[in-house]
């Protein structure tokens, strides 16, 4: 596959100024679009959320949880709220304030769940906000799925705490209708010797901007972040990741793959990794690969690694954006495979690394079917 | 009776910024099933262009002439239709298809060419035996298509496809290039196995005579300057081995 190396970008000249961290929306400036954090994002669709407009719509949240898991609605001043997530922008700050509380899911320590916890979030139109807290106790094992469908102008905060020695698989599927707007601050904290596998799958929406962040609450934590997006004509899909290594001997892996097709399809991937001065023994690698299927689509990809200690076990990043390779198409067609099927084969192969790791079979099948449908919509 | 007929074929290629350039200038060739033809010639004579034009690569434009397979107009067919009609091109430089396993690729291809999915049990056996014949490790089937393959592995993989797809006309574009003696022996055995069925017409495109010691053609054609400038039996290959292409290059340059 022809690959255009996109890592040739100059690194940010200086570390960006530390953003304001506050639960108070008014502590955050109104973005103008010139800020580093907002320069790729069309602000117009986000206006009501930036302004903190009172909700006039609804997002219907239903949580299906196996026995032993506690699901409750708690006040915004509950100690669990804000334990992992401190908003870095107005939208995230408003999400908590306007949600008027949080859905809290608690998996007690040493509980081993065999079935996933599934939160279905269905947008019913209009401006709406929510806040979700997931607490997984020490040595517990759980899978959490967020399934976003319908439409809304929606700001949703999610905070997930993985207790020490626990293991959490988290999947967030953005399967929105074409006109949905979704700004999501998804914050994860990984306890001592805990393991997190978080996957973001973004298929739909008019504008989706997810901000996954990871920090570690003890040494030995392991976070694998994966993502898949399929960006269609007129869609803006943005994933900005920040992994902050301040603890020793923690590991992070970031693997995001995107396919784009159609006029003004725009994807943004920002991968920021910060390794603090005390975070010796850190092992981190992040990669974003994009496959541009048609003319008129644009993929922005910016990896950024800041290292303040000389004693890392490994630190690297890669980014590559390539066009669909006509020679590959010729090769497959020269073996009798029709063009449409050849494209599906190539795109499935491209996404395989991320798709194969979704260990919720129904979800994996749904994503594959959605990708196939997207491909046949354009025809080949 | 499968017959590939090429008549007065003129082919141009789009060049960067210099407009179309004519590469083939009136090629005539007939390949019948069971026959083996070698097309030889110096670099730039148009050998590879001929193979790509038959397979339908979009970069090459046929400006004049015809190609038919059993009377059907090949030029009117898309690339995949040609393959399903029985034309197979073993590529000189097979491309990587990342993340798509060899086994998935072979099965998808066989399903398309045969018109139905092969029965799984029989298929697995067939692939296994053919890989064994080509001295390929079974683990090979789980690798990504051409991903990290050595030159020899790529060519074996091309011959594996040919053996499984059983084409009416097989075009082998410099399949011998870059092979060591062992790989050449194995690949040639694969080509001969297909020839011995008597169901396939083989068009062997090569710069060197080395492979012709393993795969003996009944017909040898020499290309230069976009035309076939000499024809004969296998004895012509022996002459070329001694005298090289010098005299043809002069003819080609004057054309």
């Amino acid at each position: 596959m022809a690959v255009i190396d996109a890592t040739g970008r100059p690194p940010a000249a200086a570390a960006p100024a530390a953003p304001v961290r506050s639960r108070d929306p008014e502590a955050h400036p109104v973005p103008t679009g010139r800020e580093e954090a907002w320069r790729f994002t069309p602000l117009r669709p986000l206006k009501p959320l930036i302004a903190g407009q009172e909700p006039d719509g609804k997002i219907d949240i239903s949580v299906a949880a196996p026995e032993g898991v506690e699901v409750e609605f708690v006040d915004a001043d509950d100690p669990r709220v804000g334990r992992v997530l401190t908003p870095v922008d107005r939208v995230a700050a408003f999400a908590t304030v306007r949600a008027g509380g949080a859905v809290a899911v608690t998996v007690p320590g040493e509980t081993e769940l065999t079935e996933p916890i599934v939160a279905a979030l269905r947008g019913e139109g209009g401006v709406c906000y929510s806040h979700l807290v997931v607490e997984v106790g020490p040595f517990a094992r759980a899978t959490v799925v967020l399934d976003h469908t319908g439409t809304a102008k929606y700001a949703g905060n999610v905070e997930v705490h993985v207790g020490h020695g626990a293991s959490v698989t988290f999947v967030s599927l953005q399967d929105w209708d074409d006109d949905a707007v979704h700004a999501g601050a998804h914050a994860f904290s990984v306890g001592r010797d805990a393991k997190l596998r978080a996957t973001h799958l973004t298929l739909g929406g008019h504008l989706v901007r997810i901000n996954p962040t990871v920090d570690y609450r003890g040494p030995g934590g392991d976070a694998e972040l994966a993502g898949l997006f399929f960006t269609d004509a007129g869609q803006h899909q943005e994933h900005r990741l920040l992994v902050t290594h301040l603890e020793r001997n923690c590991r992070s892996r970031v693997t995001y793959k995107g396919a784009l097709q159609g006029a003004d399809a725009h994807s943004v991937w920002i991968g920021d990794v910060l390794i603090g001065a005390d975070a010796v023994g850190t092992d981190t690698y992040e990669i974003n690969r994009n496959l541009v299927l048609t003319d008129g689509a644009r993929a922005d990809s910016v990896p950024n690694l800041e290292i303040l200690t000389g004693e890392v076990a490994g630190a690297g990043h890669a980014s590559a954006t390539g066009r669909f390779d006509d020679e590959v198409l010729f090769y497959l067609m020269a073996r009798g495979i029709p063009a449409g099927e050849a494209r599906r084969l190539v795109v499935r192969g491209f996404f395989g690394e991320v798709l194969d790791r979704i260990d919720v079979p129904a979800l994996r099948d749904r994503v594959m079917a959605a990708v196939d449908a997207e491909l046949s919509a354009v025809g080949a | 009776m499968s017959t590939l007929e090429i008549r007065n074929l003129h082919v141009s290629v789009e060049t960067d910024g210099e407009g179309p350039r004519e590469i083939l200038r009136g090629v005539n060739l007939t390949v019948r099933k069971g026959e083996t033809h070698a097309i030889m010639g110096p670099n730039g004579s148009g050998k590879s262009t001929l193979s790509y034009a038959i397979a339908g690569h979009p970069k090459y434009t046929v400006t004049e002439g015809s190609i038919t397979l059993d009377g059907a107009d090949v030029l009117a067919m898309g690339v995949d239709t040609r393959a399903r009609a029985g034309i197979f091109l073993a590529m000189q430089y097979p491309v990587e298809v990342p993340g798509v396993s060899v086994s998935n690729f072979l099965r998808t291809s066989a399903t398309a060419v045969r018109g139905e999915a092969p029965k799984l049990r029989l298929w697995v056996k067939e692939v296994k035996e053919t890989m064994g014949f080509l001295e390929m490790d079974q683990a090979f089937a789980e690798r990504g298509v051409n991903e990290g393959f050595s030159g020899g592995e790529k060519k074996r993989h091309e011959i594996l496809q040919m053996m499984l797809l059983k084409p009416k006309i097989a075009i082998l574009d410099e399949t011998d290039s870059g092979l060591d003696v062992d790989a050449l022996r194995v690949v040639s055995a694969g080509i001969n196995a297909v020839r011995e069925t008597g169901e396939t017409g083989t068009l062997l495109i090569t710069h060197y005579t080395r492979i012709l010691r393993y795969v003996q053609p009944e017909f040898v054609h020499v290309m230069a300057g976009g035309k076939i400038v000499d024809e004969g039996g296998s004895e012509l290959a022996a002459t070329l081995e001694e005298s090289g292409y010098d005299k043809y290059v002069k003819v080609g340059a004057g054309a």
Side-chain angles (χ1 to χ4, degrees), chain A residues 19-31 50 86-94:
Chain A
V20 176
R21 293 166 61 88
S22 171
R23 294 174 71 169
D24 174 12
E26 297 308 332
H28 299 279
V30 175
I50 291 168
T86 308
V88 294
D89 60 50
R90 286 172 68 89
V91 178
F94 274 125

PDB file of all heavy atoms in Angstrom, chain A residues 19-31 50 86-94:
ATOM      1  N   PRO A  19      -3.675  23.641  30.012  1.00  0.00           N
ATOM      2  CA  PRO A  19      -5.029  24.177  29.912  1.00  0.00           C
ATOM      3  C   PRO A  19      -5.629  24.393  31.297  1.00  0.00           C
ATOM      4  O   PRO A  19      -5.166  23.817  32.284  1.00  0.00           O
ATOM      5  CB  PRO A  19      -5.782  23.062  29.173  1.00  0.00           C
ATOM      6  CG  PRO A  19      -5.007  21.816  29.437  1.00  0.00           C
ATOM      7  CD  PRO A  19      -3.587  22.231  29.644  1.00  0.00           C
ATOM      8  N   VAL A  20      -6.622  25.243  31.327  1.00  0.00           N
ATOM      9  CA  VAL A  20      -7.365  25.447  32.566  1.00  0.00           C
ATOM     10  C   VAL A  20      -8.051  24.136  32.917  1.00  0.00           C
ATOM     11  O   VAL A  20      -8.614  23.479  32.071  1.00  0.00           O
ATOM     12  CB  VAL A  20      -8.435  26.552  32.349  1.00  0.00           C
ATOM     13  CG1 VAL A  20      -9.281  26.716  33.608  1.00  0.00           C
ATOM     14  CG2 VAL A  20      -7.779  27.862  31.940  1.00  0.00           C
ATOM     15  N   ARG A  21      -7.958  23.747  34.168  1.00  0.00           N
ATOM     16  CA  ARG A  21      -8.668  22.543  34.621  1.00  0.00           C
ATOM     17  C   ARG A  21      -9.639  22.961  35.709  1.00  0.00           C
ATOM     18  O   ARG A  21      -9.214  23.350  36.802  1.00  0.00           O
ATOM     19  CB  ARG A  21      -7.677  21.509  35.150  1.00  0.00           C
ATOM     20  CG  ARG A  21      -6.757  20.936  34.064  1.00  0.00           C
ATOM     21  CD  ARG A  21      -5.575  20.189  34.671  1.00  0.00           C
ATOM     22  NE  ARG A  21      -5.990  19.061  35.488  1.00  0.00           N
ATOM     23  CZ  ARG A  21      -6.207  17.835  35.004  1.00  0.00           C
ATOM     24  NH1 ARG A  21      -6.051  17.592  33.717  1.00  0.00           N
ATOM     25  NH2 ARG A  21      -6.576  16.860  35.793  1.00  0.00           N
ATOM     26  N   SER A  22     -10.924  22.902  35.378  1.00  0.00           N
ATOM     27  CA  SER A  22     -11.912  23.369  36.353  1.00  0.00           C
ATOM     28  C   SER A  22     -13.286  22.811  36.035  1.00  0.00           C
ATOM     29  O   SER A  22     -13.638  22.594  34.887  1.00  0.00           O
ATOM     30  CB  SER A  22     -11.978  24.895  36.342  1.00  0.00           C
ATOM     31  OG  SER A  22     -13.068  25.345  37.113  1.00  0.00           O
ATOM     32  N   ARG A  23     -14.070  22.614  37.098  1.00  0.00           N
ATOM     33  CA  ARG A  23     -15.455  22.179  36.895  1.00  0.00           C
ATOM     34  C   ARG A  23     -16.373  23.370  36.632  1.00  0.00           C
ATOM     35  O   ARG A  23     -17.548  23.185  36.317  1.00  0.00           O
ATOM     36  CB  ARG A  23     -15.936  21.427  38.133  1.00  0.00           C
ATOM     37  CG  ARG A  23     -15.180  20.134  38.330  1.00  0.00           C
ATOM     38  CD  ARG A  23     -15.559  19.462  39.630  1.00  0.00           C
ATOM     39  NE  ARG A  23     -16.907  18.911  39.591  1.00  0.00           N
ATOM     40  CZ  ARG A  23     -17.388  18.093  40.525  1.00  0.00           C
ATOM     41  NH1 ARG A  23     -16.650  17.743  41.546  1.00  0.00           N
ATOM     42  NH2 ARG A  23     -18.621  17.634  40.432  1.00  0.00           N
ATOM     43  N   ASP A  24     -15.840  24.541  36.800  1.00  0.00           N
ATOM     44  CA  ASP A  24     -16.650  25.746  36.596  1.00  0.00           C
ATOM     45  C   ASP A  24     -16.583  26.160  35.124  1.00  0.00           C
ATOM     46  O   ASP A  24     -15.520  26.552  34.635  1.00  0.00           O
ATOM     47  CB  ASP A  24     -16.112  26.874  37.495  1.00  0.00           C
ATOM     48  CG  ASP A  24     -16.825  28.203  37.222  1.00  0.00           C
ATOM     49  OD1 ASP A  24     -17.868  28.180  36.509  1.00  0.00           O
ATOM     50  OD2 ASP A  24     -16.329  29.233  37.709  1.00  0.00           O
ATOM     51  N   PRO A  25     -17.706  26.105  34.410  1.00  0.00           N
ATOM     52  CA  PRO A  25     -17.669  26.425  32.975  1.00  0.00           C
ATOM     53  C   PRO A  25     -17.106  27.804  32.708  1.00  0.00           C
ATOM     54  O   PRO A  25     -16.378  28.008  31.742  1.00  0.00           O
ATOM     55  CB  PRO A  25     -19.138  26.337  32.550  1.00  0.00           C
ATOM     56  CG  PRO A  25     -19.799  25.492  33.572  1.00  0.00           C
ATOM     57  CD  PRO A  25     -19.041  25.688  34.860  1.00  0.00           C
ATOM     58  N   GLU A  26     -17.423  28.753  33.572  1.00  0.00           N
ATOM     59  CA  GLU A  26     -17.007  30.132  33.315  1.00  0.00           C
ATOM     60  C   GLU A  26     -15.508  30.335  33.536  1.00  0.00           C
ATOM     61  O   GLU A  26     -14.959  31.376  33.181  1.00  0.00           O
ATOM     62  CB  GLU A  26     -17.831  31.121  34.153  1.00  0.00           C
ATOM     63  CG  GLU A  26     -19.333  31.108  33.823  1.00  0.00           C
ATOM     64  CD  GLU A  26     -19.640  31.263  32.330  1.00  0.00           C
ATOM     65  OE1 GLU A  26     -18.829  31.900  31.597  1.00  0.00           O
ATOM     66  OE2 GLU A  26     -20.679  30.742  31.877  1.00  0.00           O
ATOM     67  N   ALA A  27     -14.838  29.351  34.146  1.00  0.00           N
ATOM     68  CA  ALA A  27     -13.381  29.436  34.295  1.00  0.00           C
ATOM     69  C   ALA A  27     -12.673  29.190  32.965  1.00  0.00           C
ATOM     70  O   ALA A  27     -11.495  29.488  32.816  1.00  0.00           O
ATOM     71  CB  ALA A  27     -12.902  28.415  35.332  1.00  0.00           C
ATOM     72  N   HIS A  28     -13.420  28.623  31.986  1.00  0.00           N
ATOM     73  CA  HIS A  28     -12.826  28.298  30.697  1.00  0.00           C
ATOM     74  C   HIS A  28     -13.146  29.366  29.664  1.00  0.00           C
ATOM     75  O   HIS A  28     -14.278  29.843  29.599  1.00  0.00           O
ATOM     76  CB  HIS A  28     -13.368  26.952  30.183  1.00  0.00           C
ATOM     77  CG  HIS A  28     -13.043  25.804  31.088  1.00  0.00           C
ATOM     78  ND1 HIS A  28     -11.842  25.167  31.083  1.00  0.00           N
ATOM     79  CD2 HIS A  28     -13.785  25.182  32.053  1.00  0.00           C
ATOM     80  CE1 HIS A  28     -11.843  24.188  31.977  1.00  0.00           C
ATOM     81  NE2 HIS A  28     -13.016  24.182  32.591  1.00  0.00           N
ATOM     82  N   PRO A  29     -12.164  29.740  28.859  1.00  0.00           N
ATOM     83  CA  PRO A  29     -12.432  30.733  27.813  1.00  0.00           C
ATOM     84  C   PRO A  29     -13.359  30.166  26.739  1.00  0.00           C
ATOM     85  O   PRO A  29     -13.414  28.948  26.538  1.00  0.00           O
ATOM     86  CB  PRO A  29     -11.038  31.015  27.230  1.00  0.00           C
ATOM     87  CG  PRO A  29     -10.244  29.794  27.529  1.00  0.00           C
ATOM     88  CD  PRO A  29     -10.783  29.236  28.815  1.00  0.00           C
ATOM     89  N   VAL A  30     -14.055  31.046  26.071  1.00  0.00           N
ATOM     90  CA  VAL A  30     -14.866  30.637  24.921  1.00  0.00           C
ATOM     91  C   VAL A  30     -13.904  30.428  23.745  1.00  0.00           C
ATOM     92  O   VAL A  30     -13.153  31.330  23.391  1.00  0.00           O
ATOM     93  CB  VAL A  30     -15.912  31.723  24.564  1.00  0.00           C
ATOM     94  CG1 VAL A  30     -16.674  31.348  23.283  1.00  0.00           C
ATOM     95  CG2 VAL A  30     -16.876  31.931  25.725  1.00  0.00           C
ATOM     96  N   PRO A  31     -13.891  29.223  23.155  1.00  0.00           N
ATOM     97  CA  PRO A  31     -12.924  28.996  22.063  1.00  0.00           C
ATOM     98  C   PRO A  31     -13.228  29.855  20.834  1.00  0.00           C
ATOM     99  O   PRO A  31     -14.392  30.100  20.512  1.00  0.00           O
ATOM    100  CB  PRO A  31     -13.080  27.508  21.741  1.00  0.00           C
ATOM    101  CG  PRO A  31     -14.367  27.080  22.350  1.00  0.00           C
ATOM    102  CD  PRO A  31     -14.675  28.029  23.473  1.00  0.00           C
ATOM    103  N   ILE A  50     -21.111  24.973  23.741  1.00  0.00           N
ATOM    104  CA  ILE A  50     -20.090  25.910  24.245  1.00  0.00           C
ATOM    105  C   ILE A  50     -20.764  26.985  25.095  1.00  0.00           C
ATOM    106  O   ILE A  50     -20.237  27.435  26.114  1.00  0.00           O
ATOM    107  CB  ILE A  50     -19.308  26.543  23.070  1.00  0.00           C
ATOM    108  CG1 ILE A  50     -18.442  25.476  22.392  1.00  0.00           C
ATOM    109  CG2 ILE A  50     -18.448  27.707  23.552  1.00  0.00           C
ATOM    110  CD1 ILE A  50     -17.841  25.908  21.056  1.00  0.00           C
ATOM    111  N   THR A  86     -11.367  16.016  35.328  1.00  0.00           N
ATOM    112  CA  THR A  86     -11.483  17.449  35.588  1.00  0.00           C
ATOM    113  C   THR A  86     -11.576  18.123  34.225  1.00  0.00           C
ATOM    114  O   THR A  86     -10.649  18.012  33.417  1.00  0.00           O
ATOM    115  CB  THR A  86     -10.247  17.989  36.341  1.00  0.00           C
ATOM    116  OG1 THR A  86     -10.028  17.168  37.489  1.00  0.00           O
ATOM    117  CG2 THR A  86     -10.469  19.424  36.765  1.00  0.00           C
ATOM    118  N   PRO A  87     -12.696  18.798  33.946  1.00  0.00           N
ATOM    119  CA  PRO A  87     -12.884  19.347  32.595  1.00  0.00           C
ATOM    120  C   PRO A  87     -11.767  20.308  32.188  1.00  0.00           C
ATOM    121  O   PRO A  87     -11.288  21.097  32.998  1.00  0.00           O
ATOM    122  CB  PRO A  87     -14.223  20.068  32.692  1.00  0.00           C
ATOM    123  CG  PRO A  87     -14.969  19.325  33.764  1.00  0.00           C
ATOM    124  CD  PRO A  87     -13.906  18.956  34.765  1.00  0.00           C
ATOM    125  N   VAL A  88     -11.378  20.202  30.918  1.00  0.00           N
ATOM    126  CA  VAL A  88     -10.378  21.129  30.377  1.00  0.00           C
ATOM    127  C   VAL A  88     -10.998  22.088  29.369  1.00  0.00           C
ATOM    128  O   VAL A  88     -10.282  22.855  28.730  1.00  0.00           O
ATOM    129  CB  VAL A  88      -9.185  20.390  29.711  1.00  0.00           C
ATOM    130  CG1 VAL A  88      -8.386  19.621  30.746  1.00  0.00           C
ATOM    131  CG2 VAL A  88      -9.652  19.478  28.594  1.00  0.00           C
ATOM    132  N   ASP A  89     -12.315  22.017  29.198  1.00  0.00           N
ATOM    133  CA  ASP A  89     -12.960  23.003  28.327  1.00  0.00           C
ATOM    134  C   ASP A  89     -14.396  23.256  28.792  1.00  0.00           C
ATOM    135  O   ASP A  89     -14.906  22.552  29.673  1.00  0.00           O
ATOM    136  CB  ASP A  89     -12.895  22.573  26.855  1.00  0.00           C
ATOM    137  CG  ASP A  89     -13.592  21.248  26.599  1.00  0.00           C
ATOM    138  OD1 ASP A  89     -14.753  21.088  27.034  1.00  0.00           O
ATOM    139  OD2 ASP A  89     -12.977  20.373  25.952  1.00  0.00           O
ATOM    140  N   ARG A  90     -14.997  24.268  28.222  1.00  0.00           N
ATOM    141  CA  ARG A  90     -16.340  24.676  28.641  1.00  0.00           C
ATOM    142  C   ARG A  90     -17.371  23.586  28.433  1.00  0.00           C
ATOM    143  O   ARG A  90     -18.268  23.375  29.256  1.00  0.00           O
ATOM    144  CB  ARG A  90     -16.779  25.911  27.845  1.00  0.00           C
ATOM    145  CG  ARG A  90     -16.110  27.191  28.246  1.00  0.00           C
ATOM    146  CD  ARG A  90     -16.458  28.301  27.272  1.00  0.00           C
ATOM    147  NE  ARG A  90     -17.869  28.691  27.334  1.00  0.00           N
ATOM    148  CZ  ARG A  90     -18.346  29.631  28.145  1.00  0.00           C
ATOM    149  NH1 ARG A  90     -17.534  30.267  28.979  1.00  0.00           N
ATOM    150  NH2 ARG A  90     -19.628  29.937  28.127  1.00  0.00           N
ATOM    151  N   VAL A  91     -17.239  22.900  27.295  1.00  0.00           N
ATOM    152  CA  VAL A  91     -18.258  21.907  26.958  1.00  0.00           C
ATOM    153  C   VAL A  91     -18.297  20.811  28.021  1.00  0.00           C
ATOM    154  O   VAL A  91     -19.369  20.430  28.505  1.00  0.00           O
ATOM    155  CB  VAL A  91     -17.989  21.320  25.553  1.00  0.00           C
ATOM    156  CG1 VAL A  91     -19.016  20.245  25.229  1.00  0.00           C
ATOM    157  CG2 VAL A  91     -18.020  22.416  24.495  1.00  0.00           C
ATOM    158  N   ALA A  92     -17.105  20.308  28.383  1.00  0.00           N
ATOM    159  CA  ALA A  92     -17.051  19.249  29.390  1.00  0.00           C
ATOM    160  C   ALA A  92     -17.530  19.769  30.755  1.00  0.00           C
ATOM    161  O   ALA A  92     -18.184  19.049  31.506  1.00  0.00           O
ATOM    162  CB  ALA A  92     -15.635  18.700  29.484  1.00  0.00           C
ATOM    163  N   ALA A  93     -17.187  21.025  31.066  1.00  0.00           N
ATOM    164  CA  ALA A  93     -17.629  21.601  32.344  1.00  0.00           C
ATOM    165  C   ALA A  93     -19.152  21.730  32.365  1.00  0.00           C
ATOM    166  O   ALA A  93     -19.813  21.392  33.357  1.00  0.00           O
ATOM    167  CB  ALA A  93     -16.961  22.961  32.565  1.00  0.00           C
ATOM    168  N   PHE A  94     -19.728  22.185  31.261  1.00  0.00           N
ATOM    169  CA  PHE A  94     -21.191  22.306  31.190  1.00  0.00           C
ATOM    170  C   PHE A  94     -21.868  20.937  31.247  1.00  0.00           C
ATOM    171  O   PHE A  94     -22.977  20.813  31.785  1.00  0.00           O
ATOM    172  CB  PHE A  94     -21.610  23.031  29.903  1.00  0.00           C
ATOM    173  CG  PHE A  94     -21.612  24.529  30.032  1.00  0.00           C
ATOM    174  CD1 PHE A  94     -20.886  25.331  29.168  1.00  0.00           C
ATOM    175  CD2 PHE A  94     -22.372  25.143  31.032  1.00  0.00           C
ATOM    176  CE1 PHE A  94     -20.897  26.722  29.273  1.00  0.00           C
ATOM    177  CE2 PHE A  94     -22.393  26.535  31.164  1.00  0.00           C
ATOM    178  CZ  PHE A  94     -21.647  27.324  30.280  1.00  0.00           C
TER     179      PHE A  94
END
